[in-house]
Amino acid sequence: QSVLTQPPSASGPPGQRVTISCSGGRSNIGDNPVSWYQVLPGTAPKLVIYNNDQRPSGIPDRLSGSKSGTSASLAIGGLQSEDEADYHCASWDGSLNGVVFGGGTKLTVL
Amino acid sequence: VHLQESGPGLVKPSETLSLTCTVSGGSVINPNWWGWVRQFPGAGLEYIGETFHDRSSNYNPSLHGRVTVSIDRPYNRFSLRLDSMTAADTAMYFCVRGATQAPAHRILGAFDIWGQGVMVAVSS
């Protein structure tokens, strides 16, 4: 059972905008920044958002992150087939003194 | 910076798992945290633990003291030790680097470099 809660799946047709949610508590998302990871089949996770809304170099601006209270969201605009992957949110948890992850959301491009 | 895991792909129940992550293109004494994350088959990611070059460390409390992460400076690598392995520990194990922002401020929850991963099965 993951500390952070994500929907198991999300989908949308090419070109559309999809949002994935991540819900936590005060000790993690409420007090600390959120990161998002993209996991393509057979590959290692890739950091796509950090500090709630910052993109590492090379990540397209079609991906954006936001946070409000104890919840966060990842939005992917202009869906492309290459976006089909699992997306995991993460945050530091001050009570556990470590990183906690969401269970992951499988994004399907219809 | 590139990370490469090495270690056994099969461990017997009750035995200890030892994995090593070799760092190339960078140094383990840089101001980064170095750690391990695992992914269970068909499931989410789990933080295992991490360490800093000053020997500070953080571990997932759900592992009940079975884990040790340490840095081996002469060989520019870091290691994971997980005791009393059970079938529930079967997973893909990744070594990771904690991300920082200049000059050396840690970005909490962000791991910017990952190894390719090593699959570890626990079976007799």
Side-chain angles (χ1 to χ4, degrees), chain B residues 11-64:
Chain B
V11 178
K12 289 183 169 57
S14 79
E15 290 189 343
T16 293
L17 171 67
S18 293
L19 296 178
T20 296
C21 183
T22 300
V23 180
S24 57
S27 172
V28 291
I29 63 171
N30 284 350
N32 296 93
W33 286 77
W34 306 94
W36 295 86
V37 173
R38 64 183 179 180
Q39 184 169 27
F40 300 105
L45 301 169
E46 181 178 75
Y47 165 85
I48 298 172
E50 58 189 356
T51 191
F52 197 68
H53 66 76
D54 66 355
R55 301 190 185 217
S56 301
S57 59
N58 298 307
Y59 298 122
N60 189 331
S62 73
L63 294 173
H64 306 296

Side-chain angles (χ1 to χ4, degrees), chain A residues 22-72:
Chain A
C22 175
S23 177
R26 179 177 175 180
S27 63
N28 40 71
I29 295 178
D31 283 346
N32 296 288
V34 176
S35 296
W36 289 89
Y37 298 88
Q38 177 193 61
V39 186
L40 295 166
T43 70
K46 178 181 182 180
L47 180 67
V48 294
I49 295 287
Y50 66 93
N51 279 349
N52 306 321
D53 58 8
Q54 302 298 301
R55 284 183 303 276
S57 174
I59 302 301
D61 59 7
R62 300 186 297 105
L63 277 68
S64 61
S66 64
K67 186 182 101 166
S68 177
T70 58
S71 294

Side-chain angles (χ1 to χ4, degrees), chain A residues 11-22:
Chain A
S11 63
Q16 195 172 60
R17 184 174 186 268
V18 168
T19 299
I20 298 171
S21 63
C22 175

Side-chain angles (χ1 to χ4, degrees), chain B residues 20-114:
Chain B
T20 296
C21 183
T22 300
V23 180
S24 57
S27 172
V28 291
I29 63 171
N30 284 350
N32 296 93
W33 286 77
W34 306 94
W36 295 86
V37 173
R38 64 183 179 180
Q39 184 169 27
F40 300 105
L45 301 169
E46 181 178 75
Y47 165 85
I48 298 172
E50 58 189 356
T51 191
F52 197 68
H53 66 76
D54 66 355
R55 301 190 185 217
S56 301
S57 59
N58 298 307
Y59 298 122
N60 189 331
S62 73
L63 294 173
H64 306 296
R66 296 192 294 132
V67 60
T68 304
V69 180
S70 57
I71 284 177
D72 187 351
R73 291 188 184 200
Y75 292 95
N76 206 37
R77 66 190 185 191
F78 59 100
S79 301
L80 167 69
R81 175 189 170 104
L82 187 59
D83 298 325
S84 304
M85 294 283 283
T86 72
D89 294 310
T90 292
M92 180 75 81
Y93 286 74
F94 296 96
C95 59
V96 296
R97 186 185 80 168
T100 59
Q101 275 182 315
H105 181 69
R106 179 176 186 178
I107 305 173
L108 291 176
F111 299 116
D112 60 351
I113 296 176
W114 295 63

